[in-house]
Amino acid sequence: MAPIERVTDKLETPALDDRSYRVIRLPNKLEALLVHDPETDKASASVNVNVGSFSDADDMPGMAHAVEHLLFMGTEKYPVENDYNQYLSAHAGYSNAYTSATETNYFFEVAASTSQDVDTSIHGPPTSPLHGALDRFAQFFIAPLFLSSTLDRELKAVDSENKKNLQSDNWRLNQLKKSLSSPKHPYHHFSTGNLQTLRDEPRKRGVNIRDEFMQFHSKHYSANRMKLVVLGREELDQLETWVGDLFADVVNKDLPRNRWDGVQPYSEKELLTQVFAKPVMDSRLLDIYFPYQDEEEMYETQPSRYLSHLIGHEGPGSVLAYIKAKGWANGLSAGVAPVCPGSAFFTISIRLTEDGLKQYEEVVKVVFQYISLMKEGDPQQWIVDEVRGMTEVDFKFREKSPATSFTSRLSSIMQHPLPRDWLLSGTSVIRKFDSQAITKALSYIRPDNYRLTLVSQTFPGDWDQKERWYGTEYRTEAIPSEFQASVREAAESNTTNRIPDLHLPHKNEFIPTQLNVDKKEIVEPMKAPKLIRNDEAVRVWWKKDDRFWVPKGNVYITLRNPLSKATPETAVKSNLYCELVKDALVEYSYDAEIAGLEYQLSSYSAGIDVEVGGYSDKMAVLLEKVLVSMRDLEVKPERFQIVKERVLRGLKNWDFQQPYRQVGDFTRWLGSEKGWVTEQYLAEVIPLNAEDIASFYPQLLRQMHIEFLAHGNIHKEDALRMTDLVESTLRPRILPKSQWQIRRNLLLPPGSDFTYRRTLGDAANVNHCIEYYLSVGSLDDYALRAKLLLLGQMTEEIGFDQLRTKEQLGYIVFTGAKLAATIMGYRVIIQSERPTAYLEERVNAFLALFGTRLASMKHDEFEGHKKSLINKRLEKVKNLDQESERFWNHISGEYFNFVQNETDVAHLKPLGKQDMIDFFKHYIDPVSPARAKLSVHMVAQSSPKELAGDISVAEQKEKLVAMLGKYLTSVGVNTDSDKLSARFASVDVAGGDQTAIIEAIASYLKLDEQLPDESLAAVMEQGQQLLGTVLPGLGIEVKVEEADLPPAPTVKETALVEDVFEFKSRLGVSRGPRAVRGLEEYEDVGCKL
């Protein structure tokens, strides 16, 4: 066999990167990037295959996506369908995948070693969890089974995934853009697929769908189209040996790289048109799409970044600054969107106000006037140098990202024609200024080469068409000739007739210049920040970075004042105040943002939060500007109305989120002593005016306690100076500790069972959702916490496998611990078309099933779960931001347990199986008399019957028989429609009697067609799976047969929560948080680094 080719081990790396790299090419032409990271606690791998939805057959959209799902369902070497996920779960890992237009990406992560103290290099027999995971992973690309028994289940998962997105504006508008593109380009495809496209319609045509998926895999999956990235603790030579052994059998078919050069997504027919689209949520968007060049080979110059930098600028002189001042827009973004090798779009997207919607033509003309300004002279090298300088700084000080993020991203990047030495820096760094390339790029941004899309729920109102796949209402027309003429005039404007407020940006004063880090030898990084000031007015926490050594920092500040969310009214006012401050700072803060320094301002229950993060050089300058703007805010009535309307729309749109994103808010509300929900905020925001905010916000700032954390490349003196800046700028009175808000939760009494039902606000959403919550105890009961976390670990894979994979309840299934302010519990979330009462029953059945499995669990499996969880809890932070966030969570949570992960591990290690059995029987078991339960049911307004429309009982039976006849024909069974109809004469089809329907089919096949028993079994198995989709599509509520499902135990009757105020008034409250150590133990007024 030919040797493995070593392509390079000299990759361009960030300054502080301690990894080593090697790019290799196997004899089968599979290319791999190997990464040795001696410090990683997570190993990972990703395979990116150069095939995606653009390669779908025109008559089977969604094929690439379906193959992605089916590939995981068993291989010749590992035929058990969930063996891969079981292995990963047992080693603190997980997997995922995605399908895009031109690639399919598979990835996993797993514990880097079998224990925390394993030697960093492994030689001899492969014992690392990574080796076992790679072995299983490689088989998906060598010998997948495409098990027929899993086919319908996984196609239902694809269908459920599609249904999850049907009411999502992002998916709807993206598909509309694709559906209105040229049918000659694969961009036109529907990429997700559903049961209709992947199963029902093909079967009607007599297609053997399993064969089709296997042929797609055989046709498009080839070693030379695959890019592999492997990250582990092992030395590069060891990783190379493993990859060479495990991936050698991936077949190389020498397939060419997928390209689509002969046709573009937009032909002349699609250009100079405007599309009016009606969204689900109340939003107003203006998108301008320019067909653009493919920049894949232009990685050194990246001319589109010059365009996006200037058109997307938000500072003085920019498009946004002008249209925002006119009251026409709230935001603007611009940039290139690659479509595939050979084509791309340059897109300008503008968030309009109500006035901007009326003036959208004027907004478009402003954009083209600015483009004329950009074209007026030669491209400015100083602008490219400024952007290039920041790309170099950002790459130089790039920190590590989570393992799977790194491997999946790099395997995708490897598909591009980059020099292999530049795989890490890639398109992150601009390397050259090329005036001609920028001029050519600008030539695509012209008034005869674009399409407009205008998104609004009200304008123009006369949508006359519906998009095929998502049902989005829209209208399309040629851009009126008068409008075209005025756009051409704007594009040809010059200094004499151009809007004088438009000009190129000034030099950015926020570009960091002090990038030095005082790095020192550290035996062990500090695990907690020091408390360097602690008095009635202020607590200052500080840690000089001793782990990542980057010239960055993070400052978190809470201006503690209970007024911020004392009532729904003050909560809304606080939110509006923060939004108005951010609105006033847009032009100023944009320079800081593009120079790697950002801020956040938000209100929450304890007060107002201010965050500043990024390069530490100019951090104090930005903080001072934010504080002064907070203090001196002028509430302008015209800007107030725009911001208020935006906030109001956000509140109204809340009802149109996915149900699983809503349900948790209601669970939190029902468990909070003082908390509010969207409808209460809505009632308060409508009557507010500018004067209400102007008179309110000084009260927020008048009295407070300041909680401050400085972490990163920030010296102690600088942290104290920034604290002084907060005090001297705002000059607040001290808020006594007796007036601080106490964080509490409501307590469900032992033996209680409550259900709260809520109807979804989105009438078109067909998905129900349930959050099934079991209260366990106080957050600082560490013995209970360890058991709860272990339960979450033990049920993660089995819950997904049982509830989603086997029972096909829905695409969204979550199980695990739920931690609140002071209490904790176990929760299950399912989003499904099945009724919530049925979902509740299946959760009870699942928990009972798990109880049985726990009782019979072998010692090795139990210890494996403990080991996996311990690995997860001891996972290292990957970058400065993660550590900062961890510190701030412990501070704002008020337990100050900075070593919570170590505390958890100390309580996990001694746990035995009997401890978990006792815990389960008391707190979790559906028949436990002591457990405390709250279920929140989000109930859809639409039912299958409503969606099917007005269809008679006779029509339902007639259509079912016709569909069954087509199915039987597709699997090779001759069908006599009269005899088949006769078998259904006495069957209650409309009542959903699935047992009688199945018996009728079996009788027809056995008695009328005299099908042999072995053939009968195969046909019936697939036919039964088909019914699960066909019947609801005919408006038939299926009677669920439970013979093959784990039985649900009989449980006590639940009490409905009909009056939330009364419900809360009868519950006790938890104690507030208690610091795990006296704060004086953290104090260190003399500490320096």
Side-chain angles (χ1 to χ4, degrees):
M1 190 173 72
I4 294 173
E5 176 189 355
R6 292 185 177 178
V7 178
T8 183
D9 57 3
K10 304 295 185 186
L11 272 67
E12 186 176 47
T13 62
L16 298 170
D17 194 341
D18 60 355
R19 292 167 169 168
S20 52
Y21 301 88
R22 180 182 297 165
V23 180
I24 62 172
R25 188 174 293 111
L26 304 189
N28 61 6
K29 296 186 181 179
L30 185 150
E31 189 179 40
L33 170 63
L34 312 176
V35 187
H36 164 56
D37 184 343
E39 298 300 321
T40 189
D41 45 21
K42 289 291 185 181
S44 177
S46 172
V47 165
N48 188 287
V49 189
N50 174 222
V51 62
S53 62
F54 279 14
S55 299
D56 288 347
D58 289 340
D59 60 355
M60 263 185 100
M63 285 185 74
H65 184 210
V67 168
E68 172 221 306
H69 275 252
L70 291 162
L71 209 65
F72 286 106
M73 296 293 109
T75 62
E76 289 182 11
K77 185 173 181 180
Y78 297 102
V80 177
E81 67 180 68
N82 65 333
D83 175 89
Y84 173 59
N85 285 325
Q86 281 184 334
Y87 180 89
L88 295 178
S89 180
H91 294 90
Y94 76 96
S95 71
N96 211 334
Y98 68 81
T99 303
S100 68
T102 62
E103 61 186 47
T104 308
N105 194 298
Y106 303 86
F107 54 91
F108 72 83
E109 75 171 34
V110 71
S113 65
T114 53
S115 67
Q116 291 297 311
D117 52 1
V118 163
D119 189 351
T120 57
S121 40
I122 299 177
H123 300 285
T127 58
S128 164
L130 175 59
H131 183 273
L134 274 177
D135 187 16
R136 289 161 173 80
F137 190 56
Q139 292 300 312
F140 295 136
F141 310 101
I142 296 170
L145 290 176
F146 290 95
L147 292 168
S148 57
S149 61
T150 69
L151 188 64
D152 264 57
R153 286 211 315 261
E154 285 308 306
L155 293 183
K156 286 179 181 178
V158 170
D159 189 66
S160 183
E161 183 177 351
N162 179 60
K163 286 175 177 172
K164 171 181 71 71
N165 300 325
L166 288 178
Q167 290 300 102
S168 165
D169 280 327
N170 285 339
W171 286 86
R172 293 166 68 90
L173 295 173
N174 187 52
Q175 185 60 50
L176 178 64
K177 183 171 68 169
K178 293 165 65 176
S179 294
L180 295 179
S181 66
S182 170
K184 296 180 180 178
H185 195 282
Y187 183 71
H188 186 77
H189 284 177
F190 167 50
S191 58
T192 307
N194 58 31
L195 279 176
Q196 178 188 1
T197 68
L198 294 169
R199 190 189 68 182
D200 300 345
E201 291 300 326
R203 281 179 175 166
K204 288 178 185 177
R205 300 192 302 268
V207 173
N208 185 313
I209 57 174
R210 179 171 178 266
D211 286 350
E212 287 296 311
F213 295 132
M214 294 176 71
Q215 288 169 19
F216 183 94
H217 183 271
S218 176
K219 179 180 178 182
H220 294 290
Y221 277 57
S222 172
N224 74 304
R225 279 187 174 177
M226 296 181 188
K227 307 298 179 185
L228 167 67
V229 179
V230 180
L231 165 70
R233 282 189 184 179
E234 293 74 18
E235 298 287 352
L236 292 176
D237 289 349
Q238 180 70 77
L239 294 176
E240 181 177 310
T241 299
W242 287 356
V243 168
D245 291 345
L246 298 175
F247 288 85
D249 291 336
V250 179
V251 176
N252 175 33
K253 300 159 190 170
D254 274 324
L255 299 178
R257 185 172 184 240
N258 275 317
R259 292 191 65 88
W260 291 268
D261 292 312
V263 64
Q264 290 296 315
Y266 285 173
S267 65
E268 286 189 16
K269 177 184 176 183
E270 286 80 38
L271 293 174
L272 297 180
T273 57
Q274 53 186 8
V275 178
F276 300 95
K278 183 180 181 182
V280 172
M281 291 191 176
D282 188 3
S283 59
R284 294 181 295 270
L285 297 171
L286 170 62
D287 291 327
I288 311 174
Y289 300 106
F290 298 89
Y292 187 73
Q293 64 187 349
D294 174 16
E295 286 191 350
E296 193 172 53
E297 302 278 356
M298 304 179 191
Y299 44 81
E300 292 190 84
T301 57
Q302 302 175 57
S304 65
R305 291 179 71 167
Y306 181 88
L307 278 61
S308 59
H309 176 71
L310 293 180
I311 298 172
H313 210 281
E314 299 179 9
S318 65
V319 173
L320 180 62
Y322 180 78
I323 59 179
K324 184 169 174 280
K326 297 287 285 186
W328 294 344
N330 286 315
L332 181 151
S333 60
V336 69
V339 173
C340 62
S343 58
F345 291 116
F346 189 90
T347 303
I348 302 170
S349 185
I350 302 168
R351 298 195 305 274
L352 299 173
T353 63
E354 289 181 296
D355 285 345
L357 183 64
K358 300 170 188 173
Q359 301 290 337
Y360 83 92
E361 293 185 359
E362 294 301 315
V363 173
V364 174
K365 287 188 277 186
V366 173
V367 170
F368 276 94
Q369 283 209 27
Y370 193 86
I371 292 167
S372 76
L373 169 67
M374 293 170 60
K375 292 180 177 181
E376 200 163 55
D378 292 334
Q380 301 291 299
Q381 182 166 353
W382 74 266
I383 293 175
V384 174
D385 288 345
E386 194 175 83
V387 175
R388 181 176 64 189
M390 278 310 304
T391 67
E392 292 170 349
V393 168
D394 287 342
F395 178 69
K396 180 179 180 180
F397 297 108
R398 179 186 289 173
E399 300 173 79
K400 292 179 182 179
S401 56
T404 51
S405 299
F406 174 84
T407 56
S408 63
R409 182 176 62 86
L410 261 293
S411 65
S412 176
I413 287 173
M414 289 178 72
Q415 295 288 1
H416 298 282
L418 286 163
R420 279 12 214 165
D421 292 350
W422 290 355
L423 283 178
L424 299 181
S425 52
T427 55
S428 301
V429 177
I430 298 175
R431 302 170 194 275
K432 291 181 182 177
F433 168 70
D434 188 334
S435 180
Q436 290 184 342
I438 293 171
T439 300
K440 182 182 178 184
L442 280 165
S443 71
Y444 291 89
I445 316 302
R446 61 181 193 266
D448 65 343
N449 186 50
Y450 71 97
R451 165 184 263 181
L452 295 181
T453 297
L454 196 67
V455 177
S456 166
Q457 282 194 335
T458 58
F459 181 81
D462 56 347
W463 310 279
D464 55 3
Q465 297 183 72
K466 279 192 175 184
E467 193 275 324
R468 175 182 179 185
W469 302 109
Y470 288 81
T472 304
E473 295 182 71
Y474 73 95
R475 179 163 69 83
T476 183
E477 65 184 24
I479 295 175
S481 55
E482 303 83 8
F483 183 20
Q484 286 192 46
S486 63
V487 169
R488 283 194 299 270
E489 183 180 344
E492 295 166 2
S493 63
N494 53 46
T495 53
T496 62
N497 60 358
R498 186 182 300 123
I499 298 167
D501 293 333
L502 298 178
H503 59 78
L504 296 179
H506 52 250
K507 290 187 185 295
N508 191 343
E509 300 300 325
F510 275 100
I511 299 293
T513 55
Q514 298 296 323
L515 295 169
N516 297 324
V517 177
D518 183 20
K519 185 174 182 179
K520 298 185 177 181
E521 289 299 322
I522 299 294
V523 176
E524 184 180 2
M526 289 197 302
K527 297 177 180 179
K530 295 295 184 182
L531 188 55
I532 58 174
R533 180 178 166 189
N534 184 16
D535 53 46
E536 289 182 321
V538 178
R539 273 199 304 235
V540 182
W541 300 86
W542 164 78
K543 182 191 170 189
K544 175 74 167 62
D545 174 39
D546 57 0
R547 190 187 295 268
F548 303 105
W549 308 109
V550 289
K552 299 178 181 179
N554 291 301
V555 167
Y556 294 79
I557 309 166
T558 289
L559 308 176
R560 185 178 275 110
N561 184 329
L563 182 62
S564 65
K565 285 202 173 177
T567 66
E569 180 187 13
T570 63
V572 166
K573 287 179 177 178
S574 298
N575 183 38
L576 279 167
Y577 165 62
C578 291
E579 292 301 313
L580 285 162
V581 173
K582 289 189 285 187
D583 184 71
L585 279 169
V586 167
E587 288 186 35
Y588 179 87
S589 64
Y590 186 72
D591 273 352
E593 182 181 332
I594 58 178
L597 184 60
E598 299 184 54
Y599 82 97
Q600 293 290 331
L601 184 66
S602 57
S603 64
Y604 84 120
S605 58
I608 301 295
D609 267 11
V610 184
E611 300 175 21
V612 181
Y615 293 104
S616 53
D617 182 23
K618 308 283 195 329
M619 181 175 286
V621 177
L622 179 58
L623 176 60
E624 182 176 18
K625 182 65 176 180
V626 172
L627 293 169
V628 170
S629 299
M630 292 173 65
R631 182 193 66 194
D632 298 339
L633 177 68
E634 179 187 355
V635 185
K636 299 176 181 178
E638 65 279 7
R639 289 309 303 171
F640 171 80
Q641 287 302 324
I642 290 170
V643 171
K644 173 186 170 181
E645 190 275 336
R646 188 174 72 216
V647 169
L648 192 59
R649 273 191 296 123
L651 291 170
K652 290 179 178 177
N653 286 338
W654 189 90
D655 273 342
F656 294 89
Q657 295 180 101
Q658 292 284 347
Y660 78 94
R661 296 188 183 278
Q662 299 181 41
V663 69
D665 281 12
F666 289 109
T667 310
R668 281 188 290 275
W669 174 51
L670 292 166
S672 300
E673 183 184 21
K674 185 180 287 187
W676 325 109
V677 285
T678 303
E679 64 192 45
Q680 294 167 310
Y681 296 140
L682 267 172
E684 299 298 336
V685 73
I686 293 170
L688 293 178
N689 57 39
E691 180 54 39
D692 292 325
I693 307 303
S695 60
F696 170 74
Y697 85 79
Q699 301 175 52
L700 271 180
L701 305 182
R702 184 174 298 136
Q703 188 177 23
M704 66 180 69
H705 174 267
I706 300 167
E707 192 91 58
F708 190 105
L709 167 67
H711 175 226
N713 189 40
I714 302 169
H715 289 281
K716 178 181 178 182
E717 294 80 5
D718 295 326
L720 292 170
R721 272 194 290 269
M722 283 191 278
T723 310
D724 292 341
L725 182 64
V726 178
E727 288 186 285
S728 62
T729 303
L730 300 180
R731 297 186 177 279
R733 290 171 47 221
I734 294 172
L735 180 73
K737 195 168 185 178
S738 60
Q739 295 182 35
W740 295 11
Q741 179 169 325
I742 301 174
R743 293 160 57 86
R744 296 182 187 274
N745 286 107
L746 298 174
L747 300 174
L748 297 175
S752 60
D753 190 315
F754 297 102
T755 297
Y756 178 73
R757 290 180 182 152
R758 186 88 175 193
T759 302
L760 288 174
D762 182 2
N765 200 316
V766 299
N767 292 300
H768 307 284
C769 187
I770 179 177
E771 179 165 22
Y772 179 115
Y773 173 75
L774 300 171
S775 182
V776 167
S778 177
L779 204 57
D780 58 2
D781 186 331
Y782 298 127
L784 268 182
R785 177 185 165 100
K787 294 170 187 175
L788 173 63
L789 294 175
L790 185 54
L791 176 69
Q793 160 67 29
M794 297 169 83
T795 58
E796 181 179 25
E797 192 278 329
I798 184 180
F800 188 89
D801 182 58
Q802 183 64 39
L803 298 173
R804 180 181 148 172
T805 305
K806 289 190 169 73
E807 298 195 27
Q808 289 288 303
L809 295 181
Y811 184 75
I812 301 296
V813 173
F814 298 135
T815 61
K818 183 184 180 77
L819 308 180
T822 58
I823 62 171
M824 58 189 175
Y826 180 81
R827 62 103 179 259
V828 179
I829 291 180
I830 304 174
Q831 180 172 297
S832 172
E833 292 179 80
R834 301 290 187 91
T836 54
Y838 179 73
L839 299 179
E840 177 108 10
E841 182 181 289
R842 296 319 306 154
V843 174
N844 285 332
F846 160 67
L847 292 176
L849 173 67
F850 173 75
T852 302
R853 293 194 182 180
L854 175 61
S856 60
M857 187 176 291
K858 294 181 179 178
H859 176 76
D860 287 350
E861 183 182 356
F862 180 82
E863 290 299 317
H865 282 299
K866 281 174 57 179
K867 180 181 68 177
S868 182
L869 179 57
I870 288 170
N871 276 328
K872 289 178 183 177
R873 295 304 297 143
L874 294 180
E875 184 174 349
K876 300 171 185 174
V877 287
K878 300 296 186 293
N879 49 55
L880 183 77
D881 288 347
Q882 283 189 0
E883 186 170 46
S884 297
E885 186 175 358
R886 178 182 287 185
F887 288 156
W888 188 241
N889 286 339
H890 290 308
I891 292 167
S892 59
E894 299 182 67
Y895 285 99
F896 305 101
N897 192 353
F898 298 105
V899 291
Q900 178 70 67
N901 56 340
E902 295 178 9
T903 306
D904 290 338
V905 170
H907 286 82
L908 280 166
K909 286 182 176 179
L911 287 180
K913 191 174 88 167
Q914 190 59 48
D915 296 319
M916 289 302 297
I917 291 173
D918 294 342
F919 170 80
F920 176 86
K921 286 183 175 179
H922 185 85
Y923 292 100
I924 310 298
D925 195 329
V927 298
S928 166
R931 76 170 190 164
K933 173 177 159 291
L934 170 66
S935 277
V936 176
H937 293 192
M938 306 295 292
V939 182
Q941 296 184 40
S942 302
S943 68
K945 187 177 291 294
E946 292 167 325
L947 292 173
D950 189 13
I951 180 170
S952 68
V953 171
E955 286 176 310
Q956 285 176 329
K957 184 176 289 189
E958 182 182 338
K959 288 188 175 184
L960 175 61
V961 170
M963 288 181 180
L964 289 171
K966 289 178 180 178
Y967 159 67
L968 293 174
T969 301
S970 75
V971 294
V973 178
N974 293 324
T975 307
D976 184 324
S977 56
D978 291 336
K979 289 182 179 179
L980 183 59
S981 296
R983 290 290 174 185
F984 279 84
S986 59
V987 176
D988 181 14
V989 170
D993 190 347
Q994 192 165 327
T995 300
I997 293 170
I998 291 169
E999 288 174 353
I1001 300 170
S1003 296
Y1004 169 77
L1005 292 173
K1006 194 166 188 175
L1007 302 176
D1008 297 329
E1009 296 296 337
Q1010 298 184 351
L1011 209 64
D1013 288 346
E1014 59 272 16
S1015 300
L1016 177 66
V1019 172
M1020 288 301 298
E1021 180 184 357
Q1022 291 190 33
Q1024 289 179 50
Q1025 294 172 339
L1026 178 66
L1027 288 174
T1029 303
V1030 169
L1031 296 178
L1034 296 173
I1036 298 168
E1037 299 279 2
V1038 181
K1039 294 178 183 176
V1040 180
E1041 294 297 319
E1042 301 181 12
D1044 297 328
L1045 297 178
T1050 302
V1051 296
K1052 67 182 296 182
E1053 187 175 350
T1054 190
L1056 289 179
V1057 177
E1058 297 177 340
D1059 184 326
V1060 173
F1061 178 82
E1062 182 182 358
F1063 166 74
K1064 289 188 173 188
S1065 70
R1066 296 178 182 274
L1067 299 180
V1069 296
S1070 69
R1071 61 174 182 256
R1074 296 181 300 178
V1076 296
R1077 294 166 56 186
L1079 296 191
E1080 66 278 359
E1081 294 186 41
Y1082 296 107
E1083 289 183 354
D1084 193 341
V1085 294
C1087 174
K1088 270 192 180 181
L1089 181 63

